[in-house]
Amino acid sequence: MGKRPRVVVTVEASADGKVALTRNALLMHPPSSELWGAMTPPAADPVSLDVAEVVRKQYGCNAILEGSGSLVAEDVTLEELPAHEGDTAELYQHFLPPDITGQPSPPHMWFTIVDSRGRVRWTEKHENWDVLVLVARSTPVDYLAYLRRERICYLVVGEDRVDLTKAITTMGTELGITCVLSNAGGGLNGALLRAGLIDELHLTLAPALIGGLGTPSVMDGPPLAVGESPTQLRLLSIHADTNGAVRLHYAVPQTSTGIGH
């Protein structure tokens, strides 16, 4: 197996590590989007950073990673998809049409979603990136047929759910992806952490507190086992602006992930 792509996580959070205002309020929709933006006052020396551009220049990053929960709330009623009629075996193979995957990268980018349940409905097309959906053998047949009709690429990487280690590795072997930038929420970031897949973390903290038991945090997911050590970080840089926002950049030492680069 070849060297897997580097995984860089970028997160904006409150000072208490929350990445949302409540569990079911998507940040991309008002009023949450306005309230979130107001947590960080304007500053003459802002700590904001275009992490995507930084990792693209440094590592040739050509994939963004998100979880389906960032796009579709759990309480949303999904549009019914037409029932698939015919053979299903082909649907559970990778769908990578050459006219899409053969585009040069960069500038081509992959907008990658982990969606084994088949929840996201795709309504927008973009000139400089294509969608890549990570699915599993448990993903509904009707959803896979829908992706093929819409000519949306997907990788079948897992049985009951997406196997993130297999997914990241397959993104490298099948599509030549060298670096993945995760903009995901706490659930997916926590899963990346437990899988030992995170190589770098860019963490920006707003000068505000949110609180709330169960409010999504920077890293959610399964807790540490009793006696299991936390993942150690090595500080690369720290910047603070005059209004209290802080940007932290960490590396995850190879001994923490067990994987060399």
Side-chain angles (χ1 to χ4, degrees), residues 205-218:
L205 299 177
L209 296 171
I210 294 174
L213 182 64
T215 303
S217 67
V218 172

Side-chain angles (χ1 to χ4, degrees), residues 150-179:
E150 296 295 320
R151 295 189 60 74
I152 294 173
C153 296
Y154 63 82
L155 295 173
V156 183
V157 282
E159 295 297 325
D160 294 334
R161 63 184 62 187
V162 170
D163 180 326
L164 288 173
T165 300
K166 184 176 182 180
I168 298 296
T169 301
T170 304
M171 289 168 68
T173 56
E174 293 289 338
L175 296 169
I177 291 170
T178 57
C179 174

Side-chain angles (χ1 to χ4, degrees), residues 238-253:
I238 179 170
H239 298 275
D241 70 24
T242 51
N243 283 338
V246 180
R247 187 179 76 241
L248 301 159
H249 181 199
Y250 292 102
V252 181

